[in-house]
Protein backbone atom coordinates (compact mmCIF):
# COMPACT_ATOMS: atom_id res chain seq x y z
CA UNK A 1 0.00 0.00 0.00
CA UNK A 2 1.27 3.44 -0.90
CA UNK A 3 0.90 6.19 1.70
CA UNK A 4 -0.28 9.23 -0.22
CA UNK A 5 -1.26 11.37 2.75
CA UNK A 6 -0.78 11.27 6.50
CA UNK A 7 -2.05 14.04 8.71
CA UNK A 8 -2.45 14.68 12.41
CA UNK A 9 -6.14 15.09 13.29
CA UNK A 10 -6.43 15.55 17.08
CA UNK A 11 -5.26 14.54 20.55
CA UNK A 12 -7.43 13.92 23.57
CA UNK A 13 -8.07 11.78 26.63
CA UNK A 14 -11.76 11.17 25.99
CA UNK A 15 -12.87 8.42 23.64
CA UNK A 16 -16.21 10.21 23.15
CA UNK A 17 -14.35 13.15 21.61
CA UNK A 18 -12.33 11.11 19.11
CA UNK A 19 -13.06 11.62 15.38
CA UNK A 20 -16.53 10.50 14.35
CA UNK A 21 -15.90 9.20 10.81
CA UNK A 22 -16.82 5.50 10.53
CA UNK A 23 -13.52 4.49 8.92
CA UNK A 24 -11.21 1.67 10.03
CA UNK A 25 -8.82 2.44 12.85
CA UNK A 26 -5.60 0.79 14.07
CA UNK A 27 -4.12 1.48 17.51
CA UNK A 28 -0.50 1.11 18.60
CA UNK A 29 0.01 0.12 22.20
CA UNK A 30 2.82 -1.36 24.31
CA UNK A 31 5.35 -0.49 26.97
CA UNK A 32 6.79 3.00 27.10
CA UNK A 33 9.79 3.42 24.82
CA UNK A 34 9.03 0.25 22.81
CA UNK A 35 8.87 2.33 19.62
CA UNK A 36 5.15 2.97 18.95
CA UNK A 37 5.56 6.52 17.69
CA UNK A 38 8.68 5.62 15.69
CA UNK A 39 6.79 2.78 13.99
CA UNK A 40 3.99 5.14 12.95
CA UNK A 41 6.59 7.42 11.37
CA UNK A 42 8.29 4.51 9.65
CA UNK A 43 5.01 3.13 8.22
CA UNK A 44 3.92 6.52 6.93
CA UNK A 45 7.36 7.60 5.67
CA UNK A 46 7.13 10.77 7.76
CA UNK A 47 10.06 11.70 10.00
CA UNK A 48 8.12 13.40 12.77
CA UNK A 49 4.41 12.82 12.28
CA UNK A 50 4.29 11.18 15.72
CA UNK A 51 6.57 12.63 18.43
CA UNK A 52 9.31 10.28 19.61
CA UNK A 53 11.85 10.46 22.42
CA UNK A 54 14.70 8.49 23.95
CA UNK A 55 13.01 8.98 27.32
CA UNK A 56 9.94 6.87 28.16
CA UNK A 57 6.59 8.58 28.67
CA UNK A 58 6.70 10.84 25.60
CA UNK A 59 3.23 10.09 24.20
CA UNK A 60 0.58 11.08 26.74
CA UNK A 61 -2.67 11.31 24.77
CA UNK A 62 -4.82 9.44 22.27
CA UNK A 63 -3.45 10.78 18.98
CA UNK A 64 -5.35 10.32 15.73
CA UNK A 65 -3.63 10.40 12.35
CA UNK A 66 -5.65 10.14 9.15
CA UNK A 67 -4.01 8.14 6.40
CA UNK A 68 -4.88 8.27 2.69
CA UNK A 69 -8.04 10.13 3.71
CA UNK A 70 -9.79 6.90 4.66
CA UNK A 71 -8.31 5.21 7.71
CA UNK A 72 -6.80 6.15 11.09
CA UNK A 73 -3.60 5.26 12.88
CA UNK A 74 -3.72 5.93 16.62
CA UNK A 75 -0.65 6.57 18.74
CA UNK A 76 -1.20 5.86 22.44
CA UNK A 77 0.83 6.35 25.62
CA UNK A 78 2.91 3.44 26.85
CA UNK A 79 2.07 1.26 29.80
CA UNK A 80 4.48 0.12 32.49
CA UNK A 81 6.15 3.48 32.87
CA UNK A 82 7.31 3.44 36.49
CA UNK A 83 7.95 7.18 36.89
CA UNK A 84 4.28 8.14 36.49
CA UNK A 85 2.65 8.49 39.91
CA UNK A 86 0.11 5.89 41.00
CA UNK A 87 -2.70 8.41 40.68
CA UNK A 88 -1.67 9.34 37.13
CA UNK A 89 -1.33 5.67 36.29
CA UNK A 90 -4.93 5.00 37.27
CA UNK A 91 -6.22 7.91 35.24
CA UNK A 92 -4.08 6.87 32.30
CA UNK A 93 -5.37 3.34 32.51
CA UNK A 94 -8.96 4.44 32.69
CA UNK A 95 -8.99 6.51 29.53
CA UNK A 96 -6.96 3.94 27.66
CA UNK A 97 -9.22 1.09 28.75
CA UNK A 98 -12.26 3.22 27.84
CA UNK A 99 -10.73 3.79 24.44
CA UNK A 100 -10.25 0.06 23.81
CA UNK A 101 -13.65 -0.94 25.15
CA UNK A 102 -15.69 1.79 23.48
CA UNK A 103 -14.04 2.71 20.22
CA UNK A 104 -16.25 1.15 17.54
CA UNK A 105 -13.98 2.02 14.61
CA UNK A 106 -11.09 0.04 16.11
CA UNK A 107 -10.64 -2.94 13.78
CA UNK A 108 -7.23 -4.12 14.98
CA UNK A 109 -4.67 -3.19 17.62
CA UNK A 110 -0.95 -3.68 17.34
CA UNK A 111 0.72 -4.66 20.58
CA UNK A 112 4.37 -3.70 20.33
CA UNK A 113 7.04 -5.72 22.07
CA UNK A 114 10.78 -5.05 22.16
CA UNK A 115 12.29 -8.15 20.53
CA UNK A 116 15.35 -7.98 22.82
CA UNK A 117 13.48 -8.78 26.01
CA UNK A 118 12.29 -12.01 27.60
CA UNK A 119 8.48 -12.30 27.82
CA UNK A 120 7.33 -9.61 30.26
CA UNK A 121 4.49 -9.98 32.73
CA UNK A 122 2.97 -6.60 31.90
CA UNK A 123 2.69 -7.52 28.20
CA UNK A 124 1.23 -10.94 28.95
CA UNK A 125 -1.35 -9.37 31.25
CA UNK A 126 -2.27 -6.72 28.74
CA UNK A 127 -2.77 -9.31 25.99
CA UNK A 128 -4.92 -11.38 28.34
CA UNK A 129 -7.02 -8.31 29.12
CA UNK A 130 -7.47 -7.69 25.37
CA UNK A 131 -8.46 -11.33 24.87
CA UNK A 132 -10.96 -11.27 27.74
CA UNK A 133 -12.50 -8.11 26.30
CA UNK A 134 -12.68 -9.57 22.79
CA UNK A 135 -10.46 -6.84 21.29
CA UNK A 136 -8.57 -8.16 18.26
CA UNK A 137 -4.82 -7.65 18.18
CA UNK A 138 -1.62 -8.83 16.57
CA UNK A 139 1.91 -8.55 17.93
CA UNK A 140 4.58 -6.34 16.41
CA UNK A 141 8.12 -7.01 17.59
CA UNK A 142 10.21 -3.84 17.43
CA UNK A 143 13.93 -2.98 17.28
CA UNK A 144 14.85 -6.06 15.23
CA UNK A 145 17.97 -4.18 14.07
CA UNK A 146 19.41 -4.86 17.55
CA UNK A 147 19.49 -8.66 17.19
CA UNK A 148 20.81 -11.26 14.76
CA UNK A 149 18.26 -13.41 12.86
CA UNK A 150 18.71 -16.47 15.09
CA UNK A 151 18.17 -14.42 18.25
CA UNK A 152 15.09 -12.78 16.70
CA UNK A 153 13.60 -16.19 16.02
CA UNK A 154 14.44 -17.41 19.52
CA UNK A 155 12.88 -14.37 21.13
CA UNK A 156 9.66 -14.48 19.06
CA UNK A 157 9.30 -18.20 19.80
CA UNK A 158 9.71 -17.57 23.52
CA UNK A 159 6.72 -15.22 23.44
CA UNK A 160 4.58 -17.60 21.42
CA UNK A 161 5.45 -20.50 23.77
CA UNK A 162 4.63 -18.44 26.83
CA UNK A 163 1.25 -17.46 25.37
CA UNK A 164 0.40 -21.04 24.45
CA UNK A 165 1.19 -22.06 28.02
CA UNK A 166 -1.23 -19.39 29.19
CA UNK A 167 -4.79 -18.68 28.07
CA UNK A 168 -4.16 -18.85 24.31
CA UNK A 169 -5.19 -21.86 22.26
CA UNK A 170 -3.53 -20.63 19.08
CA UNK A 171 -0.25 -18.93 18.34
CA UNK A 172 -0.74 -15.19 17.81
CA UNK A 173 0.00 -13.55 14.51
CA UNK A 174 3.12 -11.41 14.66
CA UNK A 175 5.35 -9.13 12.61
CA UNK A 176 9.07 -8.43 13.01
CA UNK A 177 9.98 -4.78 12.50
CA UNK A 178 12.67 -2.17 12.84
CA UNK A 179 11.87 1.51 12.46
CA UNK A 180 15.50 2.54 12.19
CA UNK A 181 16.27 -0.03 9.44
CA UNK A 182 12.79 -0.02 7.85
CA UNK A 183 12.09 -3.71 8.36
CA UNK A 184 8.55 -5.12 8.17
CA UNK A 185 6.96 -2.06 6.60
CA UNK A 186 5.34 -3.74 3.58
CA UNK A 187 4.14 -6.66 5.72
CA UNK A 188 2.34 -4.44 8.23
CA UNK A 189 0.92 -2.14 5.56
CA UNK A 190 -0.21 -5.16 3.53
CA UNK A 191 -2.02 -6.52 6.58
CA UNK A 192 -3.76 -3.18 7.15
CA UNK A 193 -4.67 -2.98 3.47
CA UNK A 194 -6.37 -6.39 3.57
CA UNK A 195 -8.45 -5.45 6.62
CA UNK A 196 -9.33 -2.10 5.03
CA UNK A 197 -10.52 -3.80 1.84
CA UNK A 198 -12.72 -6.21 3.82
CA UNK A 199 -14.08 -3.32 5.85
CA UNK A 200 -15.02 -1.26 2.76
CA UNK A 201 -16.49 -4.31 0.98
CA UNK A 202 -18.70 -5.05 4.01
CA UNK A 203 -19.77 -1.40 4.24
CA UNK A 204 -20.67 -1.36 0.53
CA UNK A 205 -22.81 -4.49 0.92
CA UNK A 206 -24.64 -2.95 3.86
CA UNK A 207 -25.46 -0.11 1.47
P1 LIG B 1 6.32 6.43 24.61
O1 LIG B 1 5.57 7.41 23.76
O2 LIG B 1 7.18 7.09 25.62
O3 LIG B 1 5.43 5.39 25.21
O4 LIG B 1 7.39 5.66 23.67
P2 LIG B 1 7.20 5.01 22.22
O5 LIG B 1 6.80 3.59 22.36
O6 LIG B 1 6.34 5.86 21.35
O7 LIG B 1 8.70 5.00 21.67
P3 LIG B 1 9.40 5.99 20.64
O8 LIG B 1 8.91 5.75 19.26
O9 LIG B 1 9.34 7.38 21.16
O10 LIG B 1 10.90 5.43 20.67
C1 LIG B 1 11.60 5.28 21.88
C2 LIG B 1 13.09 5.15 21.60
O11 LIG B 1 13.36 3.95 20.90
C3 LIG B 1 13.65 6.26 20.73
O12 LIG B 1 14.94 6.60 21.20
C4 LIG B 1 13.73 5.64 19.36
O13 LIG B 1 14.73 6.21 18.54
C5 LIG B 1 14.07 4.20 19.69
N1 LIG B 1 13.57 3.27 18.65
C6 LIG B 1 12.31 3.18 18.20
N2 LIG B 1 12.22 2.23 17.24
C7 LIG B 1 13.45 1.71 17.10
C8 LIG B 1 14.00 0.69 16.26
O14 LIG B 1 13.34 0.05 15.43
N3 LIG B 1 15.33 0.42 16.42
C9 LIG B 1 16.10 1.07 17.33
N4 LIG B 1 17.37 0.71 17.41
N5 LIG B 1 15.62 2.05 18.11
C10 LIG B 1 14.32 2.37 18.00
MG1 LIG C 1 5.19 7.49 21.80
Amino acid sequence: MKIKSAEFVMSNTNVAKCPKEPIPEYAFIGRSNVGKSSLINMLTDRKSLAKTSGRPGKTQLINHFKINENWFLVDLPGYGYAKVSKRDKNIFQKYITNYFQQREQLVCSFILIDIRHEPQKVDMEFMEWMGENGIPFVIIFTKADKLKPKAIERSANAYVDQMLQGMWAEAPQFFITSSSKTIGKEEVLGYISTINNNFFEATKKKG
Side-chain angles (χ1 to χ4, degrees):
M1 174 169 38
K2 204 170 162 2
I3 304 297
K4 287 173 246 153
S5 65
E7 54 193 73
F8 169 73
V9 182
M10 63 162 79
S11 295
N12 62 70
T13 55
N14 183 349
V15 61
K17 291 188 182 153
C18 288
K20 297 280 182 284
E21 294 108 304
I23 57 177
E25 176 162 319
Y26 302 84
F28 291 71
I29 185 78
R31 283 156 67 88
S32 281
N33 220 41
V34 68
K36 300 176 290 295
S37 304
S38 302
L39 186 67
I40 287 178
N41 292 337
M42 185 272 262
L43 292 173
T44 55
D45 256 326
R46 306 293 193 275
K47 273 204 173 66
S48 46
L49 182 67
K51 292 193 185 108
T52 65
S53 169
R55 269 187 283 153
K58 178 71 180 172
T59 309
Q60 292 289 343
L61 301 164
I62 302 170
N63 299 289
H64 275 79
F65 300 96
K66 199 174 196 179
I67 314 298
N68 290 353
E69 315 259 330
N70 66 4
W71 54 283
F72 289 122
L73 281 182
V74 175
D75 193 16
L76 294 168
Y79 52 74
Y81 173 42
K83 276 200 183 143
V84 177
S85 73
K86 194 133 192 226
R87 190 176 155 271
D88 282 351
K89 230 185 225 170
N90 290 338
I91 295 166
F92 157 80
Q93 281 171 353
K94 192 67 200 153
Y95 79 78
I96 298 300
T97 51
N98 283 345
Y99 167 79
F100 281 110
Q101 289 175 322
Q102 295 171 27
R103 185 71 175 157
E104 283 172 13
Q105 290 91 331
L106 187 62
V107 289
C108 181
S109 295
F110 295 109
I111 299 184
L112 274 62
I113 291 177
D114 189 325
I115 191 77
R116 295 171 295 177
H117 299 155
E118 306 255 294
Q120 308 272 313
K121 195 164 168 233
V122 67
D123 292 322
M124 291 297 157
E125 285 176 354
F126 186 76
M127 289 191 277
E128 282 165 16
W129 182 83
M130 294 286 271
E132 283 156 8
N133 282 273
I135 304 162
F137 70 88
V138 296
I139 294 174
I140 292 190
F141 290 108
T142 64
K143 309 195 185 185
D145 54 285
K146 297 276 195 183
L147 292 184
K148 299 213 162 71
K150 275 262 176 290
I152 290 174
E153 200 184 319
R154 214 180 306 132
S155 190
N157 285 341
Y159 266 93
V160 171
D161 288 349
Q162 181 103 5
M163 287 176 77
L164 291 175
Q165 281 167 31
M167 70 172 266
W168 305 95
E170 282 172 56
Q173 182 161 4
F174 65 81
F175 296 97
I176 308 278
T177 69
S178 160
S179 296
S180 46
K181 293 270 162 69
T182 315
I183 296 169
K185 183 180 175 193
E186 294 314 318
E187 289 79 1
V188 175
L189 288 179
Y191 182 73
I192 292 174
S193 177
T194 305
I195 299 181
N196 280 349
N197 291 340
N198 292 341
F199 181 96
F200 291 120
E201 274 303 310
T203 320
K204 234 193 282 165
K205 275 192 200 129
K206 261 192 249 161

